[in-house]
Amino acid sequence: MSRILRYSALLIVLAIYDGTFTSPLSASGGGGGAAQVWLGTLGGNGSQAYEVSSTGSVVVGYASNASGQYRAFRWTATGGMQDLGDFGYAYAAAYGVSGDGSIVVGEAWDASFRQRAFRWTAAGGLQDLGTLGGPYGVSADISANGLVVVGESWNAASNTRAFRWTAAGGMQDLGTFGGYGSGAYGVSADGSVVVGSADDANGQRRAFRWTAVGGMQYLGTLGGFESEAFGVSADARS
């Protein structure tokens, strides 16, 4: 199972066991200092912020409600914390947001307790992006222009694979370095460059940078055996 799929499953266990979690958002304060801004919850004990829009006005993450359920949220200063819904089961989390804050991506569980990759808009609500043939999927990030979603999904062989999704092309498997699994965790502003990690033939995790022209490029290590890439600059140069 992939890092994202394992992590979100762990969150469910922690929620049942403990029922609390907190993570304040660091934001610029007056006088050039730094301020801790508590974004609130959905009626529960805590919340976690994962990403902020390029404009700085929209924050996404997950928060507990009064029933102890963990819900994906979209937060603004004027509207507060908005519950983005689910696909039939009470757990959801938002991991990425477009540059203008209008599109949110993440995962929501369905009535069969399966993680499903979603794309949310105010007009359309939660959209299930499908899978690569298996039952599970997670959206990890979205390009600033809102056109490309990346993440990971199980394929028909129950291997987790990195994907790049567009409305026109659907979900594209980005491959591996000869192993079974991979995951995509970051994407450039225009969606042309994707980063993440993929297994080689020996099962070691390797950081990658992907483009449509060059495919999956291995980024190396710092002298060890494994590496992973979690983000890429807007211009894709670093």
Side-chain angles (χ1 to χ4, degrees):
M1 186 179 287
S2 75
R3 280 123 175 98
I4 291 179
L5 293 174
R6 281 200 306 264
Y7 177 61
S8 53
L10 176 60
L11 292 175
I12 293 291
V13 174
L14 290 176
I16 294 171
Y17 176 75
D18 182 48
T20 62
F21 62 102
T22 58
S23 179
L25 171 72
S26 295
S28 296
Q36 296 292 327
V37 180
W38 171 239
L39 302 185
T41 72
L42 292 168
N45 295 321
S47 55
Q48 178 90 31
Y50 276 104
E51 193 163 71
V52 61
S53 62
S54 300
T55 61
S57 59
V58 177
V59 180
V60 300
Y62 66 93
S64 60
N65 62 17
S67 300
Q69 300 163 340
Y70 286 62
R71 312 290 294 174
F73 75 77
R74 179 181 182 270
W75 178 94
T76 63
T78 55
M81 195 172 280
Q82 175 187 2
D83 188 331
L84 300 186
D86 58 58
F87 290 128
Y89 182 65
Y91 178 79
Y95 300 129
V97 61
S98 60
D100 66 0
S102 65
I103 306 174
V104 182
V105 300
E107 64 168 299
W109 291 46
D110 66 16
S112 298
F113 311 108
R114 299 176 302 187
Q115 295 158 277
R116 308 294 292 186
F118 77 73
R119 179 182 183 272
W120 176 96
T121 63
L126 287 184
Q127 173 190 1
D128 189 334
L129 300 186
T131 71
L132 293 169
Y136 305 110
V138 176
S139 299
D141 200 11
I142 184 171
S143 59
N145 62 17
L147 299 178
V148 177
V149 180
V150 300
E152 57 189 36
S153 169
W154 277 25
N155 62 17
S158 298
N159 297 316
T160 304
R161 305 301 286 263
F163 74 76
R164 179 181 184 270
W165 178 95
T166 63
M171 193 173 283
Q172 174 187 2
D173 187 333
L174 301 187
T176 70
F177 289 120
Y180 293 105
S182 59
Y185 310 128
V187 60
S188 61
D190 66 358
S192 64
V193 178
V194 181
V195 299
S197 63
D199 293 341
D200 64 15
N202 296 318
Q204 294 174 331
R205 208 69 169 178
R206 304 293 195 178
F208 73 76
R209 179 182 186 272
W210 178 96
T211 64
V213 174
M216 195 172 277
Q217 174 190 359
Y218 172 42
L219 300 184
T221 71
L222 292 172
F225 295 105
E226 297 191 327
S227 57
E228 294 188 275
F230 289 101
V232 59
S233 62
D235 62 7
R237 294 183 178 180
S238 60

